[in-house]
Amino acid sequence: MDENNWRTIAVISPTPEAGKSVITINLAISIAQQPQKTAMIVDFDLRKPRIAQYLGIKREKSINDFLAGDAELSEIIVNPGIPRLTIIPTNKSVKQSSETLSSNNVQKLIIELRERYDSRIIIFDLPPILNADDAMVLLPQVACVLLVMGNGQHTESEIAETMRLLSKSNILGAVINRAEVEPRDYYY
């Protein structure tokens, strides 16, 4: 990402239950551990938001209120107690999520977040790409993509379709999650 000056990344999976939200959180924590970087997670899985739940964040206001015009950006950004990490949570699912993600409000939000701090990496947790068109609406506004796949969870045709849909995106890499590793004896 540094080589290309990319500061926004979308984390997606072909289908649900691949563990993309957990990978999103772990990636953000890893980035925040670098002294010269800050990380922000934006929970744009408007169909099944999980980031706040996983991190134990309970806030009255979230991105739902911001998008409705009932909150300022400063009111919805949360620090979960980890230095250099902030979260923009989504408290409840959004009807017509694709339309919401394609709105001018979301486009302005992404531009503002991207341009505010040069050292910030913004990680967007998006819904599974094969279940809805939400991710496809947002991907043109994001520099690169991290694909999360559950080990043995996706069919060959699902992976092929996912790759076809991502053909115009900069794929940073893929994570095979939920792998069952055989225990081995190591010398040390």
Side-chain angles (χ1 to χ4, degrees):
M1 290 181 72
D2 282 343
E3 290 173 13
N4 292 299
N5 199 28
W6 293 339
R7 295 198 336 260
T8 55
I9 182 171
V11 180
I12 61 167
S13 61
T15 58
E17 306 301 323
K20 68 172 179 55
S21 296
V22 172
I23 296 293
T24 298
I25 293 167
N26 287 326
L27 175 62
I29 291 170
S30 295
I31 291 168
Q33 298 302 311
Q34 300 175 43
Q36 72 279 14
K37 296 284 183 198
T38 62
M40 172 181 273
I41 298 173
V42 180
D43 192 350
F44 270 155
D45 189 341
L46 300 182
R47 292 173 185 266
K48 288 190 177 183
R50 298 279 165 85
I51 298 294
Q53 175 188 346
Y54 289 164
L55 291 173
I57 296 171
K58 294 182 178 158
R59 292 285 296 243
E60 189 174 310
K61 295 195 177 200
S62 74
I63 202 162
N64 304 92
D65 303 287
F66 176 81
L67 294 175
D70 297 330
E72 296 294 320
L73 183 58
S74 61
E75 295 177 275
I76 64 169
I77 297 176
V78 180
N79 180 301
I82 299 169
R84 294 182 298 279
L85 176 62
T86 53
I87 312 292
I88 296 182
T90 299
N91 284 346
K92 59 186 181 224
S93 53
V94 174
K95 292 180 180 175
Q96 299 179 332
S97 56
S98 297
E99 291 81 358
T100 300
L101 289 173
S102 66
S103 71
N104 287 335
N105 286 345
V106 168
Q107 290 175 11
K108 288 177 188 175
L109 173 63
I110 292 170
I111 291 168
E112 182 176 348
L113 293 174
R114 184 177 54 227
E115 293 179 357
R116 187 173 283 191
Y117 300 106
D118 287 341
S119 65
R120 178 181 283 163
I121 302 296
I122 305 157
I123 306 162
F124 299 102
D125 186 35
L126 297 181
I129 197 165
L130 298 180
N131 286 34
D133 57 352
D134 296 20
M136 294 304 297
V137 167
L138 204 67
L139 286 178
Q141 299 177 65
V142 178
C144 57
V145 173
L146 180 65
L147 178 60
V148 177
M149 296 181 285
N151 185 41
Q153 183 176 336
H154 313 289
T155 66
E156 190 175 326
S157 63
E158 288 172 336
I159 294 169
E161 180 63 10
T162 298
M163 296 309 291
R164 186 189 70 74
L165 292 171
L166 294 175
S167 64
K168 294 182 181 175
S169 298
N170 296 312
I171 300 174
L172 188 63
V175 173
I176 305 299
N177 198 22
R178 302 176 186 248
E180 295 177 19
V181 179
E182 293 181 26
R184 296 183 190 171
D185 291 330
Y186 288 99
Y187 180 71
Y188 51 90

